[in-house]
Amino acid sequence: MDTLHLLLAGLASASAPQNLLAVLVGVLLGLFVGALPALGPAAGVAILLPTIVNLDPTVAIAGLAGVYYGAMYGGSVTSILIGVPGDSAAMMTVMDGYPLAQKGEAGRALGMAVYASFTGGLISLILMTFLSTWVAQAALAFGPVEMTAVIVLALCLVTVLGGDDMIKGFLSLGVGLWVAMIGLDPINAVPRFTFQNIHLLEGIDFTIIVVGMYGLGQMFAALADTGQNARATAKYSMASLFPRFSDFLLCKWTLFWSSLIGFVVGVLPGAGATAATVFAYASAKRTSNHPEEFGKGAIEGVAAPESANNAASYAAMIPLFTLGIPGSGTTAVMLGGLLMLGLQPGPQLFSQQPEFIWTLIGTFYIGNLTLVFLTLALIPLLAALVFIRVSLLFPIVISVVFFGIYSINNDVADVGIGVLFGLAGWIFTRLRYPMLPFLLGVILGPLLERAIRRSLIISQGDVGVFWQSTIASAIFAVSILLVVYGALTPAIRWYRNMRRTRNA
Amino acid sequence: MQLAKLDIATSVAAALFGAYVIVEAILYGVTSDIGPGAGTFPLVAGILILVFAIANLARTLRGAMPDALRLEGSIQLPEVARVLGTIVLIGVYIACFDKLGAFLPLPFLMVGVSLMIHWRADLRWLATLILSSVLFTTVCYFVFARFLGLLLPSGPLGF
């Protein structure tokens, strides 16, 4: 009941004009970012990150979050109409959305995508509202030992589940941890890896790293192509852009279960919205009465991934706000935003700044509803966005990135550092090194170091302190199991393949 | 350059870098009177980098990389030229930043990057580029200099 009152109060303050404007601008930008094939939600949020420095924290984060979930809606439009997913989370929507559009049923698919996104978002938001309070209350009892265990688990989850290559994941994590250690040692104030450069004594601002890696890095990686986008083959009329109510009824269970799958997968650090769409699609196909239609234009094939990816996007914010641990690339970027605004996400945020957190959750509800109307109204415009040449788009991105990075410290040298990280992002993307472990290494590395060193100082150097807490021991055990699972799975797969080849 | 070869080169570079981090970490001091020293965590990071770089190198050289993870294709020269060309143009812009101001050289940077990405000797295309660059520079001026109040250097024209 208490949570309900807090939510209602949050909804009331979220309705303040400045918050509504932030949501509107955020979701609009998100829709465009989602529709543009060259930019994903993480890049979109990263590029806009430095522009929020001078804004009120609630307004700023409401806007950034709007970009995130707006992109989830926007990605489906181009997937359905022209078969080009706006971002990786919209990949599965192409499977059935595009065939539907080719059959002249684009309206059905788009209507379902919007409805499924709304349903997934709403179910996830309701779960988030009630679970967040509970998780935050439980986390309040965490000391440095338990926090160490949680951070280690998050790093293991992201590295093992976050990409398909665990070796590159750990290598990426190691480099991220190293970057986090540039600057003064937090306990002894010894300069580390500063190369006698006074600018590096305070370390490298996380925002510069994230904007460089995502904003510039992904843009550089997109230059592998000649820079020109695919062209549409599907034709649709304005009259076809209306959903059918009977489809909503037909897909009600698909929507419900896919939203739950999206929520569960989204909460897990590292799994992400794309994995959620794959699981939801597979589950919908398995439970369908006509699985043979999947891939040829089944309406459930649009409902499942769209509800899952939106549910996952909200669910990913639970570990961010309650534990201060981002579970996806976009929430990692958002964490940068929170830190930049002087907010330390974690359980204390719920007890010390309830107004901020509940207003923010209120804006999520408003944003989710706003997106239904905005997406339907802007479908033709969003579809047209895909034809913008990257040669026109990228100079704009570069300019925004430039001013954005410069605005952090009013220092042009930061732009140079951002470009270097852009170059690193390009190499990461082209060589398929996952970026998320790197970013989590940068964000969580200092927290982990402080937590471990504080624990050891309190215990006077006794390493056994980490096993004295039951919660910490259990979390450490799960982390070890995860790494063992990650290491054994490819080995078992390789052994099975060998046996199969030998038998053949 | 083949991506697989580039991956090998990157792994070698990462392994050497990992070794450097380990040496530096030992010099910072791995232990202290109050528990772990300034070098403990860099040591962990260095070991992670070194071990996994060698693991990646070993499996690539042995051909033990699973099919799904195998890097196919290559980075073509035009891609490298586009990326490095863009970086050089940003470098030139940074060099002009203090003397010419933030906004005067911006349209040149934008047109330069556009042409770097997609070269076309077409007057209509060039006109589109110039127009969009000038328009977006104006937008940047109002958003960053006026609305967000960013402290930016002024050029000879006063902006």
Side-chain angles (χ1 to χ4, degrees), chain A residues 192-273:
Chain A
R192 298 186 299 195
F193 306 105
T194 53
F195 309 103
Q196 291 167 341
N197 186 330
I198 201 161
H199 290 288
L200 293 177
L201 280 179
E202 285 182 25
I204 302 172
D205 198 304
F206 174 68
T207 320
I208 298 170
I209 298 170
V210 95
V211 176
M213 292 281 280
Y214 275 105
L216 291 176
Q218 293 197 352
M219 189 192 76
F220 289 154
L223 296 180
D225 190 10
T226 52
Q228 306 316 308
N229 301 310
R231 293 281 160 188
T233 50
K235 288 187 172 65
Y236 63 95
S237 66
M238 277 306 288
S240 75
L241 298 178
F242 291 99
R244 290 184 195 170
F245 191 70
S246 57
D247 285 339
F248 303 156
L249 296 175
L250 180 76
C251 296
K252 59 182 184 293
W253 289 113
T254 305
L255 289 168
F256 178 72
W257 288 115
S258 302
S259 303
L260 284 188
I261 291 170
F263 181 82
V264 173
V265 177
V267 167
L268 290 175

Side-chain angles (χ1 to χ4, degrees), chain B residues 131-150:
Chain B
L131 188 68
S132 66
S133 304
V134 172
L135 269 176
F136 193 72
T137 302
T138 314
V139 171
C140 280
Y141 173 73
F142 280 103
V143 171
F144 292 103
R146 290 295 185 91
F147 177 64
L148 293 173
L150 210 65

